[in-house]
Amino acid sequence: MAPPARPEIVIGLDVGKSSHWACVVTREGELLASKPVLNRENAIDGLYAQYPGALVVVDQKRNIGALVLARAHAHGNPCAYLPGYAEKQARGMFPGTAKTDAIDAEVIARTALGVPRALRPAPEEPEGTASLRILSSQREFASSARTRAKNRLRATLLEADPALEGAVDPSSRWQ
């Protein structure tokens, strides 16, 4: 579901491990709320119930942001993601230099209103996609670890005896 260009209400969420900071802003720029929300289903559902149909924008769509997005999709809210580099650029347009959860959430919400092109879609993932992504990530990690081990062995053999390193070729034997 693509987010509307100028939604009535935007909920900007700076996601965290145990709690998130929510900033709710209207299309006209009025700040409706700026408060912490526990990273629990009932607390997140309570926020979405107060602002039905609001565009939900997060700064992290996986890991600690997954529950927020899953609950938003369950409520039928449109969802988007503001990448870190876009958030960092947008922060420069706001007064103050302090980096707090409240400021981050407001930057996310106001950027969603003012610069909707900066947003990326955060569609609901089909069941099993997250599991497949995790398995793929683990496979990539294991492959990288194997390559590092081969390179470390090769370097050690080269230091100890270059002729031995030439005779023992780990790259072709350990497939």
Side-chain angles (χ1 to χ4, degrees):
M1 177 186 308
R6 292 280 293 170
E8 291 289 326
I9 295 176
V10 173
I11 302 173
L13 286 157
D14 180 45
V15 297
K17 292 177 194 166
S18 59
S19 67
H20 315 295
W21 197 278
C23 179
V24 184
V25 180
T26 67
R27 178 186 291 175
E28 293 75 30
E30 179 186 354
L31 182 65
L32 297 180
S34 182
K35 61 183 181 179
V37 177
L38 289 176
N39 190 20
R40 301 285 178 261
E41 280 190 28
N42 60 349
I44 295 167
D45 288 346
L47 175 67
Y48 296 151
Q50 283 183 294
Y51 307 102
L55 171 62
V56 175
V57 184
V58 296
D59 61 344
Q60 296 181 44
K61 62 182 179 177
R62 297 212 171 95
N63 300 325
I64 60 177
L67 180 60
V68 170
L69 288 175
R71 298 313 306 154
H73 287 299
H75 280 265
N77 292 52
C79 299
Y81 159 66
L82 182 65
Y85 62 88
E87 182 183 352
K88 184 178 179 182
Q89 294 297 317
R91 180 184 317 289
M93 295 185 291
F94 291 85
T97 56
K99 184 178 179 341
T100 65
D101 292 346
I103 291 173
D104 287 351
E106 187 169 357
V107 166
I108 292 166
R110 293 195 185 278
T111 302
L113 281 172
V115 191
R117 282 185 174 177
L119 301 179
R120 302 292 176 261
E124 189 169 10
E125 290 185 336
E127 192 173 324
T129 303
S131 298
L132 185 59
R133 185 176 48 254
I134 291 167
L135 286 173
S136 176
S137 173
Q138 282 301 106
R139 182 180 185 279
E140 183 179 335
F141 174 79
S143 176
S144 296
R146 184 182 71 187
T147 301
R148 280 191 306 275
K150 286 181 190 179
N151 289 341
R152 193 173 20 237
L153 175 61
R154 193 175 229 157
T156 303
L157 287 172
L158 192 57
E159 270 187 53
D161 185 359
L164 180 60
E165 188 271 335
V168 179
D169 185 9
S171 62
S172 64
R173 297 180 196 271
W174 298 349
Q175 300 265 346

